[in-house]
């Protein structure tokens, strides 16, 4: 049993023995107070040793009559604390201190009555009981703080964490350097260069003119115009795709094999054009690789500096969390406190219920919030109940806003599926990302294309990439895929639930609207859809959202069939009239208004997404 005792526990047991020596007016108030504080420690092993230590102290230092009193008092305290833990699953400090005080008071009065002592002894018994109560409350705090002092191992863990972060940063620098190396290479060429034109002309003359019997007449005379005719012909092939008729007529006056020359020139030019196309495609793929390397460098830098371990710096907060959790019947082990780049806290720990059945995770959430002095919430997918077997738990600093979203949609008349796809992606309760993609055309093909775009975006965002990087990587994947006439628009609106800041990215998408109390704002952008070009043109628009604001996103099919000269202005007017306070009602009202103007006909897929935010 003594094998697993640490230095701190041994010190507590030694202090417990010394507490049995201190007396006041024939009373030993530190004995029940210290024992009560010790009863609230974690683990039956430590409790057993504390009982033995204080029992030995009472035998050594306390008179026989008083020893009987305190042995009975300690037994009552022990049974009371364990009874509360068995019935309620917990025993608070105040409850344990009150039970100790009452036990001391009853034993003192009982002894005084039997011994027929003076009234002064009754007063000393009452004072002893009051002292025991307050000393138990204070002692529990002091004992808990003493047991939570930091160790050298935690400092070593922190140094190890900084070492791995430094290695990630070095890897990120390497990937960033490779990206710059790829970016410095040649850029794509739109036309065949002058040097290539010269080489084509040399290839043409060496294959035909050298073996011609009239070669000397065409090329050895200084006044021969054949060189300029060939140059003009190649330029016309590049400009209009065929030889200029006037050049052909002039060439026929000097060369009897003009038709063969033209045919050979077109073959050489087609080959050069194909080589140029493949070369440009190679350069595009090289640019895509550079973008991927940049993305890898970013994610490594983000992983290296995303969270800072501040457990040692905020040790008093950690101690307070463990103390408050213990009062709720929970034991917290291996607590860690982290801080992100925006100074938001994240708390992780292993936790189990002390005695009996399960305890609600809400109790632990209250303990963490009170201990850290910040509103915290349990991470998504966390357990709702904590059992004696234990579980891992994680808590994030709670956001200032909460949101509700809804969708209304219609499929084109005669269609089986919609070419529009949407997604509501909540990132750890701190950010709501609303995405809408409209595939080119309608039907199953458009649906699959827009669904693929959103699936890629979701995976990149969940992996931790920024929205700009996720959009560029998704566009690169669609360009590499290389299917013609398969383009999709992308509309992304991301709301930071801590600050209410909304970031909007529109890639070939229809206008987005923000409904503020008393006014409606329209945000539009003219860009190409994804997959149309290697370099994705994107522009970020930011807007501050506040309590009661609504974000409204629509597909092209909604605005195209508003019978108005300015559909955006008409939609702003419509949203200003709608007075509903629920996103679902707003989405349905907009869809009904559009269908009223089309006579109920759905000529294109229609999708309306509405997201409302409110302060907590």
């Amino acid at each position: 049993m003594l094998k697993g005792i640490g230095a701190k526990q041994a010190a507590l047991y030694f202090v417990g023995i010394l507490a049995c020596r201190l007396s006041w007016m024939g009373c030993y108030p530190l004995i029940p107070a210290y024992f009560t504080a010790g009863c609230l420690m974690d683990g039956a092993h430590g409790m057993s040793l504390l009982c033995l230590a204080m029992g030995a102290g009472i035998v050594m230092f306390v008179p026989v009559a008083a020893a009987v009193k305190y042995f009975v008092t300690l037994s009552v305290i022990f049974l009371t604390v364990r009874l509360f833990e068995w019935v309620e699953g917990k025993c608070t400090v105040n409850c344990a201190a009150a039970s100790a005080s009452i036990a001391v008071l009853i034993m003192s009065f009982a002894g005084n009555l039997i011994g027929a002592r003076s009234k002064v002894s009754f007063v000393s018994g009452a004072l002893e009981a009051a002292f025991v109560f307050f000393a138990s409350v204070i002692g529990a705090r002091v004992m808990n703080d003493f047991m939570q002092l930091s160790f050298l191992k935690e400092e070593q863990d922190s140094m190890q964490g900084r070492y791995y972060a430094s290695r990630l940063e070095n890897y990120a620098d390497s990937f960033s350097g490779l990206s710059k190396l790829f970016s410095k290479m040649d850029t794509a060429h739109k036309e065949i260069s002058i040097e290539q034109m010269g080489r084509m002309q040399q290839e043409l003359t060496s294959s035909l003119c050298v073996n011609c019997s009239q070669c000397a007449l065409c090329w050895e005379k200084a006044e021969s115009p054949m060189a300029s005719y060939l140059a003009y012909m190649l330029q016309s092939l590049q400009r209009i795709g065929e030889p200029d008729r006037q050049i052909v007529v002039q060439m026929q006056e000097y060369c009897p094999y003009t038709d063969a020359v033209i045919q050979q020139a077109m073959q050489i030019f087609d080959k050069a054009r194909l080589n140029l196309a493949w070369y440009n495609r190679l350069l595009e793929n090289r640019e895509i690789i550079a973008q991927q390397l940049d993305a890898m460098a970013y994610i490594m830098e983000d992983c290296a500096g995303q969270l800072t371990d501040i457990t040692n710096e905020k040790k008093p907060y950690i101690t307070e969390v463990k103390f408050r959790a213990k009062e709720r019947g929970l034991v917290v082990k291996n607590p860690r406190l982290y801080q992100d780049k925006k100074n938001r806290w994240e708390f992780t720990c292993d936790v189990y219920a002390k005695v009996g059945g399960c305890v609600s995770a809400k109790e632990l959430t209250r303990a963490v919030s009170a201990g850290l002095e910040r509103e915290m919430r349990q991470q998504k997918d966390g357990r709702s109940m904590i059992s004696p077997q234990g579980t891992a738990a994680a808590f994030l600093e709670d956001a200032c806003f909460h949101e509700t979203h809804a969708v209304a949609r219609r499929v084109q008349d005669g269609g089986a599926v919609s070419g529009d796809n949407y997604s509501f992606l909540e990132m750890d309760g701190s950010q709501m990302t609303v995405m809408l993609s409209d595939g080119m055309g309608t039907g199953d093909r458009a649906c699959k294309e827009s669904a693929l775009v959103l699936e890629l975006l979701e995976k990149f965002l969940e992996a931790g990439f920024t929205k700009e990087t996720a959009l560029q990587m998704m566009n690169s994947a669609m360009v590499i895929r290389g299917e013609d006439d398969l383009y999709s628009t992308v509309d992304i609106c991301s709301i930071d639930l801590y600050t209410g800041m909304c970031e909007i990215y529109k890639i070939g998408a229809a206008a987005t609207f923000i409904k503020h109390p008393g006014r409606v704002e329209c945000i539009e952008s003219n860009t190409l859809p994804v997959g149309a070009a290697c370099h994705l043109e994107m522009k970020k628009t930011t807007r501050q959202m506040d309590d009661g604001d609504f974000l409204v996103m629509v597909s092209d099919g909604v605005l195209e069939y508003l019978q108005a000269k300015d559909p955006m202005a008409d939609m702003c007017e419509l949203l200003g009239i709608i007075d509903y306070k629920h996103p679902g009602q707003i989405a349905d009202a907009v869809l009904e208004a559009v269908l009223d103007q089309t006579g109920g006909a759905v000529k294109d897929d229609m999708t309306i997404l509405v997201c409302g935010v409110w302060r907590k």
Side-chain angles (χ1 to χ4, degrees):
M1 182 179 290
L2 298 176
K3 187 175 180 180
I5 299 178
K8 291 185 177 181
Q9 288 179 312
L12 289 179
Y13 303 148
F14 181 72
V15 173
I17 295 174
L18 294 180
C20 299
R21 295 196 59 180
L22 301 177
S23 63
W24 171 74
M25 295 178 62
C27 301
Y28 294 82
L30 287 181
I31 294 177
Y34 195 86
F35 184 80
T36 302
C39 281
L40 299 174
M41 286 197 309
D42 303 331
H45 176 73
M47 187 65 228
S48 301
L49 292 177
L50 181 64
C51 291
L52 291 176
M54 296 203 69
I58 292 174
V59 171
M60 288 189 294
F61 303 117
V62 180
V64 176
V68 173
K69 166 188 171 182
Y70 287 111
F71 270 125
V72 175
T73 301
L74 297 188
S75 300
V76 171
I77 294 171
F78 179 81
L79 293 175
T80 303
V81 171
R82 290 296 174 259
L83 181 63
F84 269 101
E85 290 182 343
W86 180 65
V87 176
E88 300 290 337
K90 60 184 178 181
C91 182
T92 64
V93 174
N94 291 338
C95 182
S99 64
S101 178
I102 294 172
V104 168
L105 186 62
I106 292 175
M107 293 302 299
S108 297
F109 282 5
N112 291 340
L113 290 175
I114 294 172
R117 298 185 179 183
S118 63
K119 294 182 178 180
V120 177
S121 298
F122 285 96
V123 173
S124 65
L127 292 175
E128 182 185 16
F131 177 85
V132 168
F133 178 83
F134 291 107
S136 298
V137 174
I138 297 173
R141 287 276 184 175
V142 173
M143 192 176 294
N144 183 76
D145 292 348
F146 175 74
M147 293 299 294
Q148 303 306 322
L149 292 177
S150 60
F151 293 96
L152 180 61
K153 181 179 181 298
E154 294 180 348
E155 296 291 341
Q156 293 173 344
D157 291 342
S158 178
M159 292 177 63
Q160 188 178 27
R162 289 194 293 269
Y163 169 71
Y164 285 123
S166 176
R167 290 190 64 182
L168 280 175
E169 289 176 354
N170 291 336
Y171 290 146
D173 290 340
S174 299
F175 278 106
S176 181
L178 284 173
S179 173
K180 292 178 181 178
L181 182 63
F182 275 102
S183 300
K184 289 179 181 179
M185 294 182 179
D186 292 339
T187 57
H189 302 292
K190 295 182 180 181
E191 296 181 351
I192 297 174
S193 64
I194 297 176
E195 292 80 4
Q196 289 176 308
M197 287 285 194
R199 288 195 294 268
M200 291 167 60
Q201 184 171 336
Q202 290 177 2
E203 181 181 353
L204 182 62
T205 56
S206 61
S207 62
L208 291 178
C209 297
V210 170
N211 300 322
C212 179
S213 59
Q214 297 185 10
C215 181
L217 297 176
C218 295
W219 294 100
E220 291 183 2
K221 292 183 179 181
E223 64 273 11
S224 177
M226 284 299 296
S228 60
Y229 287 161
L230 286 177
Y232 290 144
M233 183 180 66
L234 291 175
Q235 291 176 6
S236 65
L237 284 174
Q238 178 169 263
R239 187 174 63 256
I240 61 177
E242 61 182 17
D244 186 88
R245 296 303 304 171
Q246 184 178 357
I247 298 299
V248 172
V249 172
Q250 293 176 355
M251 280 184 63
Q252 288 174 345
E253 296 179 0
Y254 289 89
C255 179
Y257 305 104
T258 300
D259 293 339
V261 172
I262 293 173
Q263 184 178 3
Q264 185 71 14
M266 293 182 68
Q267 291 178 358
I268 295 174
F269 194 85
D270 288 341
K271 184 175 67 173
R273 183 178 291 169
L274 181 62
N275 290 337
L276 179 64
W278 280 109
Y279 180 73
N280 287 338
R281 190 60 181 267
L282 178 63
L283 292 179
E284 287 181 359
N285 290 338
R286 195 177 291 167
E287 292 178 8
I288 292 172
I289 293 173
Q291 294 167 7
Q292 306 291 347
L293 292 172
D294 271 335
M296 289 298 299
Y298 165 78
I299 201 68
M300 287 183 177
E301 290 176 352
D302 190 59
C303 290
Q306 185 175 15
L307 294 176
T308 304
D309 191 337
I310 58 171
T311 305
N312 291 330
E313 301 174 20
K314 305 296 181 181
K315 198 66 179 180
Y317 291 99
I318 305 296
T319 302
E320 187 69 15
V321 169
K322 298 187 72 172
F323 182 80
R324 290 180 180 272
K326 188 187 300 181
E327 285 201 313
R328 291 170 167 82
L330 298 169
V331 178
V332 172
K333 297 290 186 181
N334 305 319
R336 308 301 299 180
L337 185 61
Y338 302 95
Q339 181 174 281
D340 64 12
K341 296 178 180 178
K342 297 181 180 179
N343 297 324
R344 297 166 186 162
W345 287 4
E346 179 178 335
F347 179 79
T348 62
C349 66
D350 297 326
V351 60
Y352 64 88
K354 289 179 68 174
V355 181
C358 297
V359 179
S360 172
K362 292 182 179 179
E363 293 294 327
L364 180 59
T365 303
R366 296 188 184 100
V368 173
S369 298
L372 298 181
E373 298 180 0
R374 296 190 179 198
E375 287 298 322
M376 306 292 288
R377 58 174 178 76
Q378 190 176 12
Q379 199 170 31
K380 188 172 62 175
D381 301 329
R383 292 190 180 182
S384 59
M385 301 298 292
I386 300 172
S387 66
Q389 287 72 35
T391 182
F395 297 86
L396 304 173
E397 190 171 340
D398 202 6
C400 300
F401 293 86
H402 68 93
E403 62 81 32
T404 304
H405 52 264
V407 59
R409 61 194 314 212
R410 287 289 187 276
V411 180
Q412 183 185 20
D413 290 339
V417 295
S418 174
D420 301 341
N421 274 289
Y422 63 91
S423 172
F424 294 97
L425 183 63
E426 185 177 1
M427 305 294 291
D428 293 328
S430 64
Q431 196 170 80
M432 169 56 69
T433 302
V434 186
M435 295 184 286
L436 176 62
S437 178
D438 184 359
M440 184 72 70
T442 58
D444 185 65
R445 191 182 184 194
C447 178
K448 289 181 179 179
E449 187 70 13
S450 60
L452 177 61
V453 168
L454 291 186
E455 183 181 358
L456 288 173
L457 283 174
E458 285 181 348
K459 288 181 178 179
F460 288 137
L461 292 175
E462 288 175 342
F465 291 98
T466 63
K467 285 168 281 294
E468 292 92 342
T469 305
L471 282 168
Q472 191 62 60
M473 292 178 68
M474 180 271 300
N475 183 71
S476 300
M478 301 304 290
V479 170
I480 292 175
R481 189 164 175 244
E483 293 192 25
D484 296 332
D485 300 328
L486 280 181
Y487 307 124
S488 297
T489 67
V490 177
D491 204 349
I492 299 181
C493 296
S494 182
I495 304 173
D496 189 333
L497 297 179
Y498 285 104
T499 62
M501 187 62 67
C502 179
E503 297 179 347
I504 301 172
Y505 298 85
K506 308 185 74 61
I507 314 297
T512 295
F513 304 88
I514 299 180
K515 177 177 169 59
H516 304 282
R519 66 186 180 91
V520 178
E521 186 178 2
C522 176
I523 301 169
E524 53 183 323
S525 176
N526 296 319
T527 56
L528 292 174
V530 296
C534 179
H535 291 284
L536 185 64
E537 182 183 356
M538 69 178 84
K539 181 181 178 182
K540 180 174 75 172
T541 303
T542 59
R543 292 292 185 272
Q544 179 66 49
M545 298 188 69
D546 210 335
D547 185 55
D549 288 348
F550 293 92
L551 176 72
V552 182
M553 299 167 61
V554 299
S555 61
D556 291 336
V558 175
L559 294 177
E560 286 178 359
Y561 296 101
L562 281 174
Q563 298 178 1
K565 293 182 179 180
D566 189 350
M568 274 71 79
D570 197 51
M571 179 61 74
C572 289
E573 183 179 353
L574 174 61
L575 290 172
I577 296 173
I578 295 174
D579 197 30
Y580 294 121
K581 300 301 180 184
H582 189 276
Q585 294 175 319
I586 295 175
D588 291 338
V590 172
L591 184 59
E592 289 176 6
V594 174
L595 292 177
D596 285 342
Q597 295 195 23
T598 63
V602 183
K603 300 179 182 179
D604 192 6
D605 298 322
M606 297 182 181
T607 303
I608 302 164
L609 307 180
V610 182
C611 182
V613 297
W614 293 269
R615 287 190 177 272
K616 292 186 176 180

